Amino acid sequence: MTYRLGVDVGGTFTDVLLVEEASGTTWRAKTASTPYDQAVGVLNGIGKVCDEAGIALSDVAQVLHGTTVATNAILEGKGATVGLVTTKGFRQVLQIARSYVPGGLAGWIIWPKPEPLAALENTVEVDERLASDGTVIRDLDEADVRTQLAKLHGIDALAVALINSFADPAHERRIAQIAAEMLPGVPVSLSSDVLPELREYERTVTTVANGYVQPQVKRYVETLSGKLAEGGVAGELAILRSDGGLSTADAAIAAPVTMLLSGPAGGVTGAVWTAEQCGYSDLITFDMGGTSTDVALVQNLTPRIGRETKVGDLTVRASSVDVRTVGAGGGSIAHVPELTKALRVGPQSAGADPGPAGYGKGGTEPTVTDANVVLGYLPPSLAGGEITLDVDAARNAVGKVAEAMGLPTAEAAAAGIVDIVNENMLGGLRLVSVQQGFDPRDFALVAFGGAGPLHANALGKLTGAWPVIVPPSPGVLCALGDATTSKRSESARTVLRRFHDLTGDDLAGILRELAAEAGGRLAEQGVAGPDQTTTYQVDVRYHGQGFEIGIDVDPRWLDDPASALTTLSSAFDLEHERLFSFLLSTDHELVNARATVSGPRPQVAATRLPDGDGDPSAALLDTHPIHVSGGPVDAHVYDRTKLHARDVITGPAIVTEMDSTTLVLPGHTATVHPSGSLLINPVEG
């Protein structure tokens, strides 16, 4: 038997999912995260889940890991001290940055500019200059390079970002060679490797970010690899990228900036896997945790990939799943400002310690979780009696909101809290759907995370996205995504040529050359050429525009060079009109080109539940009162582990499991799919 381990590290919990590929059988474990050393929590979870499955660590073929090490280094400001080498005259490129002024009524707001990750005192200029086409204007002065590098003291990493190095990396590579002599042991990040594209600020900040997180990522990955080997795990360690693909441990160390959204990408990948088993290809993902909610849009089982990754105040140019985050979660605190007396929910969170009042750990602030307890949506006993909620503490906390607003009952205040947090999350869902020109009614809604299934039915009503799909083990879906994705590599290049100066053969040659580069790297990671799949994307704009739009290129276009550019122009015009409702008559311009090469997805069998007769009564645990539409109703409580395929649960109902709780509202049904997912739909008529 072949076993794959998916591991996802969060701020509070580390989720581990063990999958046996042939049968699709899964085992799951949830352990406390260990911020002082994430490897400890990972190893604890791996040991726990292997014990549960009755296998040895040596039976694990692959450990597939979504990590927040790079993300946390940036959010906490605990990355490396980075030295930066730039072209003479560009020393303040990070300080000047990219200006942004909000429009409309927000124009008066002064937006604080975050401190650059490379300090000005650690930035040096070298004498060299290239033109935008790669022509050498001034040769690299190697004596000056040595003089400037000698000024850098106490740095942990070095970033090299020369003007126009995307056109010719020779000068940067020579500086790296000199740095290896003068600064032994200091990792060097070259902009021509990290982001070989135009726009010096984006290229520089991305390269510096790569250097900023590289020592921590290197230390963590090497430590985890060593401890896995010591524990008897002979399988390969792979790290999830922000775009949902996997890379080897060595590739992750070389380019950690591609892992900044590793965690959310795992959830989207797992949601795609789940939706595919249920027969749906267009979906919106809804991942609600304790502090925030992540949402993303998927078409044809392919997540929308953005070209920017944002972590805190930092935005870098790196491919990532287009995930939008809303400050709304189970721990979001409800409060009533004295001035307005208007109820607000979040973005402040009670966190895991002390957490919501209902957890009984000393928390007193009213949270979304407490509101769900008061409304009865979270029964007092969860996870087979392993977790007991303090209903009185939750009522007391929510009662403070009722008192501040002059409401007659805690239930009325709790209903308001839930309605507001649902509206907040609806705003996030609209960001990835309506604001991007998509009708959410054309998509299924996949809900996961610890709190997602509790609010999913309500979000389905607000968006009109049906069915609402609740996967098995929704609290550890990110780990499932880690275990069911494939290796990936990407190559990119700035072209900057107008279409009338370009031919279809030129376009095909550029893209196929990039594919060969990415495919070669994937071959070095053990993915043979016949097993590789290539996709292409280009950034196109009207000549004279200051921004471009990413357009996917069908490989079949390249087989007909005579019409390739015409087809590409039409695709760009269609997307431009969808986004902005107008077209221009000026010539098109090709800005950047990219090729992404992926390996085969693992052949993991989907779980198949035994057939039922539609009656879920064998899974019935209890009847529990809940408050809906201002009044109490009785809801059946079901044990999800005892449900069978095609069982139909009629709302109002609550479905409990180890890591999450699903609420089915009146007027809706939840049908158990053979793959184990719950499909929630409104009752017809």
Side-chain angles (χ1 to χ4, degrees), residues 206-221:
T206 303
T207 306
V208 169
N210 194 78
Y212 185 76
V213 301
Q214 193 170 38
Q216 280 203 28
V217 171
K218 182 176 188 292
R219 195 159 47 244
Y220 172 71
V221 171

Side-chain angles (χ1 to χ4, degrees), residues 319-380:
S319 294
S320 64
V321 175
D322 187 15
V323 174
R324 307 298 175 92
T325 300
V326 181
S332 295
I333 296 173
H335 57 285
V336 181
E338 184 66 29
L339 179 64
T340 64
K341 295 294 184 180
L343 178 61
R344 297 287 182 265
V345 181
Q348 297 82 10
S349 174
D353 187 14
Y359 281 7
K361 295 182 179 180
T364 58
E365 298 285 355
T367 68
V368 173
T369 295
D370 295 316
N372 283 314
V373 172
V374 170
L375 293 172
Y377 301 164
L378 278 174

Side-chain angles (χ1 to χ4, degrees), residues 492-511:
R493 180 187 306 169
T494 289
V495 181
L496 212 59
R497 291 170 65 181
R498 295 169 68 173
F499 277 22
H500 79 252
D501 294 327
L502 198 67
T503 67
D505 286 322
D506 293 334
L507 176 65
I510 292 168
L511 291 174

